[in-house]
Amino acid sequence: MRNRFDASLRRVLGVSIASFAIACGPQNGDLKPTTGGSAAGANASIASLMQARGLSEADVTAALKTYVPTGKKDDYYIFSSGGQSGQVIVLGIPSMRILKYIAVFTPEPWQGWATGDQGSLELLEGADRRGMEMRWGDTHHPNLSETNGDYDGEFLFIGDKANARLAVIDLRDFTTKQLIASPLLESDHGAAFVTPNTEYVIESSQYPVPLGGGFAPIEDYNEKYRGAATFWKFDRAKGKIIPEQSFAIELPPYMQDLADAGKLVSHGWAFIGSFNTERAIGGNLEGRPPLESGASQNDMDYLHIINWKKAEELVAAGKTKTIAGMKVLPLEVAAAEGVLTFAPEPKSPHGADVSPDGKYIVAGGKLDTHATVFDFEKIKALIDAQDYAGKDPYGVPILDFQKAIRGQVELGLGPLHTVFDDKGNAYTSMFVESKVAKWSLTDMKLVEKLPVHYNIGHIAAAHGDTVKPHGKWVVAMNKWAIDRFNDVGPLLPQNFQLVDVSGPNMQLVYDSPIPLGEPHYTQIISADLIKAIDHYSPVGTDPITMQLSPNAVDGGKERIERKDDGVHVYMTMIRSHFTPDTIRVKQGDTVHIHMTSLEQARDATHGFGISSYNISMSVEPGKHVDTSFVADKAGVFPFYCLEFCSALHLEMAGYLIVEPKDGSGDVARVAPARHASR
Ligand code: K7E
Ligand code: CUA
């Protein structure tokens, strides 16, 4: 036993230990470049370490596959939704180290996101809804920009399910550049999904409402409530969505779910799952069945098959109506002109995932045990021949289920989402069973099931939804983390589990707690495709526009000017001072501070925090930011640099001195602390 163990350990560790010893160099007295003999010596101490920590051979293999030593970088980036945090979470593979939270829909003081910085505040205000200040989001589906159906590493899009909004993030600086609120919808779920050249970013509805907002009694659900699929036009050169060139397709009041764009043979098409084709409206206190059971009566719901190329033509031909400023292709036109077709899909499906060759669409039925594989070429032929099995109440043609599918693969309980590798395999998350099911798309057979932790939701693979999946890594995104990590009270993190899929058998190699909102979906991109900048250039760049700010301040041109609209402070910062560091204003003045970091050195970031005025800014090398506030409180307010940027960081500070209006010397007082008396 012991011998076999040592032998296999040597097999696992021998080479790595030897090369580790060489890489470590002479400063490490214990581990010199060695021959096989002393590598065995190192193995012996590893063996005792394993014994002391109770690690199995599989544990050590997993550690060797995932450990990334100090100074070494990861091979892949994971871009994950941050759920209710409204943010995006970035991790590395194989280490699963968290690299960054990208501020999107929620104020985030470290990045100065909407916590004083005018540019980001204006973005957020521009995406406020129906007169309401929206300061959170529920991000679900991040999608990377694509060129010819593969990730290009330029942009990331993400939808806010709660408030039907969409964000554009630039991966040069990992910063949000645009936020858009849907004028039509109140919630989205098929968002964001890009077409193969990022022509469009798709945002489709979840819960039907009267499109464009407004009131209609719930009893008028069938007539007045609608869903929609919005095709937001993306201008890559501008890095922006162009609302005027975008359009939507009106959909029946079913609950549309996830979307995916066709590619290669199915380029020009999009697919959206749906549930509640029963059109249940809930009302469990009003004598109607609860929404959940009302919505689970039918054996089949409808896969929405959308010909967006055709829709584009009809929109160009003016076949649209305008709702809340948006061009909308009416449901009857979409149904009559072959833009919208349905294929039945098994009970309460979740996921509509297009295979790498674009030929198949895989749907998982939450209440069904199969992955259903739709055949696009069959679907296309049926639509061309107008070979329909019927129509829904809105006149949308419905295909015959058996004629539209290639087949079904029996996987087990609760299949949800599917991703792909480079060897013709598919990986489906099994929510109810808490397993990853690996199955062959080539011969439509289950290959292997790997238990993962409780209730896997989404699943992601390296480039796993592109035309060129990489294989190698799969990430299981698990909803529960019970028994996995140290206790942190009743609210637990989620659990990402990294799975090595490079060999014949899947191996679970790492658990990573995700302690910021419920991450729904992620995408995994090769690190060499990300071309991030390390400073803003030229000095004075506004990160929202990526242009030189009109307010940029040159070194030596710092000044304070009183203008009609208030006091303008043109400030620079460089290790370790603000210029100016004394700002004198009168109570009631509007103060505009224009800040340019003169730094160009990587990572020489300064912050700007000011007492009692609720302002926090981040000023990375070369960046320009503006902030405005009314100095309505008289008093003395220190401001200081928020990042420990140098040995004289604590000295990087100054004062805002607000002279009382009436000259009485009365100053702002902090309100007496309110004591909780519960
Ligand atoms: Cu959580 Cu994609 Cu919103 Cu499935 S969704 S899990
Ligand atoms: Cu600048 Cu600390």
Side-chain angles (χ1 to χ4, degrees):
M1 178 70 198
R2 177 82 205 178
N3 279 347
R4 193 177 66 80
F5 179 75
D6 277 356
S8 57
L9 187 64
R10 234 188 322 277
R11 200 183 58 241
V12 173
L13 299 179
V15 177
S16 309
I17 292 296
S19 38
F20 167 73
I22 289 162
C24 254
Q27 74 273 23
N28 188 325
D30 301 332
L31 290 168
K32 295 205 177 68
T34 51
T35 61
S38 50
N43 279 358
S45 70
I46 298 275
S48 53
L49 207 55
M50 285 171 66
Q51 199 166 33
R53 295 202 60 216
L55 300 178
S56 69
E57 191 183 332
D59 293 336
V60 175
T61 318
L64 286 180
K65 285 177 177 177
T66 56
Y67 178 64
V68 178
T70 182
K72 294 267 163 53
K73 296 181 183 173
D74 281 300
D75 300 332
Y76 287 90
Y77 286 86
I78 301 179
F79 288 94
S80 167
S81 87
Q84 309 89 322
S85 75
Q87 320 290 41
V88 165
I89 306 169
V90 188
L91 301 93
I93 289 181
S95 75
M96 300 301 281
R97 296 178 295 199
I98 292 177
L99 303 174
K100 194 167 198 172
Y101 298 131
I102 304 174
V104 187
F105 293 107
T106 307
E108 206 293 297
W110 170 59
Q111 290 155 82
W113 190 251
T115 53
D117 160 17
Q118 208 69 24
S120 55
L121 206 54
E122 279 166 16
L123 275 195
L124 230 61
E125 285 169 356
D128 281 344
R129 290 187 58 98
R130 319 239 186 265
M132 173 63 81
E133 241 187 41
M134 304 303 316
R135 292 298 173 269
W136 73 289
D138 183 10
T139 57
H140 272 235
H141 303 107
N143 235 236
L144 289 153
S145 57
E146 293 182 8
T147 300
N148 299 324
D150 199 0
Y151 307 146
D152 54 42
E154 291 190 1
F155 296 95
L156 181 74
F157 309 93
I158 194 159
D160 165 17
K161 166 169 166 162
N163 308 299
R165 295 182 297 174
L166 212 56
V168 180
I169 297 161
D170 188 332
L171 295 180
R172 280 176 296 176
D173 59 347
F174 285 51
T175 298
T176 303
K177 305 287 161 152
Q178 188 181 23
L179 298 176
I180 287 204
S182 167
L184 296 178
L185 310 175
E186 289 295 324
S187 64
D188 65 34
H189 199 225
F193 289 89
V194 303
T195 53
N197 285 302
T198 322
E199 299 94 333
Y200 291 101
V201 184
I202 302 170
E203 180 195 28
S204 55
S205 49
Q206 180 120 73
Y207 306 114
V209 290
L211 291 185
F215 172 76
I218 191 116
E219 288 72 20
D220 295 349
Y221 186 88
N222 293 350
E223 299 76 36
K224 305 245 172 87
Y225 288 44
R226 292 290 179 268
T230 307
F231 288 74
W232 293 103
K233 182 78 190 163
F234 185 64
D235 184 326
R236 191 185 286 268
K238 292 197 177 81
K240 295 261 155 54
I241 283 169
I242 314 289
E244 306 76 52
Q245 295 173 24
S246 307
F247 65 90
I249 301 167
E250 186 181 4
L251 301 174
Y254 312 136
M255 291 178 178
Q256 285 78 24
D257 199 42
L258 286 202
D260 201 0
K263 49 195 170 225
L264 301 174
V265 287
S266 54
H267 182 71
W269 297 72
F271 309 94
I272 308 173
S274 73
F275 59 98
N276 195 19
T277 48
E278 297 84 350
R279 293 178 289 170
I281 56 173
N284 46 9
L285 274 189
E286 300 177 10
R288 293 189 300 269
L291 185 55
E292 64 172 324
S293 68
S296 311
Q297 301 303 307
N298 296 346
D299 285 336
M300 292 285 188
D301 290 295
Y302 297 135
L303 176 70
H304 293 35
I305 301 162
I306 290 177
N307 184 342
W308 61 259
K309 282 276 185 199
K310 178 85 186 178
E312 240 180 1
E313 289 166 20
L314 294 169
V315 170
K319 296 280 166 68
T320 53
K321 56 185 175 184
T322 302
I323 302 176
M326 185 97 202
K327 277 179 261 173
V328 181
L329 197 64
L331 177 54
E332 56 278 13
V333 178
E337 301 280 346
V339 167
L340 179 64
T341 307
F342 291 149
E345 57 177 348
K347 216 162 170 116
S348 295
H350 197 48
D353 299 295
V354 178
S355 63
D357 58 10
K359 284 186 184 166
Y360 307 107
I361 305 106
V362 180
K366 294 197 298 283
L367 305 180
D368 183 76
T369 56
H370 299 94
T372 298
V373 182
F374 291 92
D375 184 324
F376 176 74
E377 280 156 341
K378 288 184 181 176
I379 287 173
K380 179 80 177 23
L382 291 170
I383 292 173
D384 287 346
Q386 306 206 346
D387 181 351
Y388 304 129
K391 284 189 175 172
D392 88 332
Y394 302 92
V396 181
I398 305 169
L399 305 178
D400 179 82
F401 176 66
Q402 290 299 339
K403 288 185 186 169
I405 64 168
R406 175 177 163 207
Q408 291 184 289
V409 184
E410 173 95 41
L411 296 180
L413 301 178
L416 299 186
H417 303 287
T418 300
V419 290
F420 304 92
D421 72 7
D422 54 338
K423 301 180 190 75
N425 296 306
Y427 300 82
T428 299
S429 53
M430 309 295 294
F431 180 80
V432 178
E433 270 187 49
S434 294
K435 286 190 180 125
V436 169
K438 174 182 177 179
W439 53 282
S440 166
L441 190 60
T442 317
D443 35 74
M444 301 282 283
K445 283 214 180 69
L446 180 66
V447 176
E448 186 193 11
K449 281 206 244 182
L450 177 78
V452 288
H453 210 252
Y454 299 124
N455 298 96
I456 174 175
H458 267 280
I459 185 167
H463 290 237
D465 64 351
T466 72
V467 297
K468 285 192 210 96
H470 288 195
K472 294 182 186 158
W473 301 110
V474 158
V475 172
M477 278 155 269
N478 308 329
K479 303 295 188 190
W480 294 48
I482 182 170
D483 299 339
R484 288 294 101 163
F485 306 111
N486 296 52
D487 294 335
V488 291
L491 181 60
L492 272 61
Q494 311 266 318
N495 183 8
F496 280 7
Q497 288 186 305
L498 182 65
V499 179
D500 176 4
V501 296
S502 56
N505 297 106
M506 296 184 278
Q507 188 194 2
L508 183 61
V509 291
Y510 201 81
D511 278 28
S512 184
I514 306 295
L516 193 78
E518 179 188 346
H520 288 263
Y521 183 47
T522 70
Q523 287 191 328
I524 302 171
I525 179 173
S526 184
D528 57 17
L529 290 171
I530 301 292
K531 308 273 185 254
I533 57 170
D534 55 27
H535 65 280
Y536 290 100
S537 180
V539 164
T541 295
D542 174 346
I544 305 289
T545 62
M546 288 302 245
Q547 307 282 318
L548 184 68
S549 166
N551 296 323
V553 187
D554 292 332
K557 301 271 181 60
E558 299 87 352
R559 63 205 185 273
I560 299 177
E561 286 176 6
R562 185 169 281 278
K563 298 184 186 173
D564 290 345
D565 64 346
V567 179
H568 288 254
V569 180
Y570 294 88
M571 177 187 275
T572 62
M573 48 186 71
I574 191 159
R575 278 161 290 171
S576 302
H577 50 271
F578 299 104
T579 309
D581 58 10
T582 308
I583 303 171
R584 298 169 199 269
V585 299
K586 294 238 162 37
Q587 184 177 12
D589 278 344
T590 300
V591 182
H592 309 272
I593 309 182
H594 311 290
M595 285 175 234
T596 298
S597 169
L598 302 179
E599 302 280 0
Q600 289 284 271
R602 178 164 212 189
D603 209 5
T605 293
H606 302 288
F608 180 90
I610 185 162
S611 155
S612 300
Y613 276 97
N614 207 22
I615 288 169
S616 161
M617 326 260 283
S618 173
V619 198
E620 296 100 84
K623 180 167 154 182
H624 180 86
V625 287
D626 301 295
T627 188
S628 293
F629 59 96
V630 179
D632 52 0
K633 296 174 280 285
V636 175
F637 305 95
F639 57 84
Y640 70 100
C641 173
L642 300 168
E643 299 263 342
F644 211 114
C645 53
S646 71
L648 292 174
H649 152 77
L650 295 175
E651 290 79 354
M652 189 168 176
Y655 283 101
L656 168 73
I657 298 155
V658 185
E659 190 184 326
K661 217 184 320 205
D662 56 9
S664 69
D666 193 16
V667 298
R669 292 198 186 86
V670 176
R674 261 177 294 167
H675 294 283
S677 55
R678 290 191 290 162

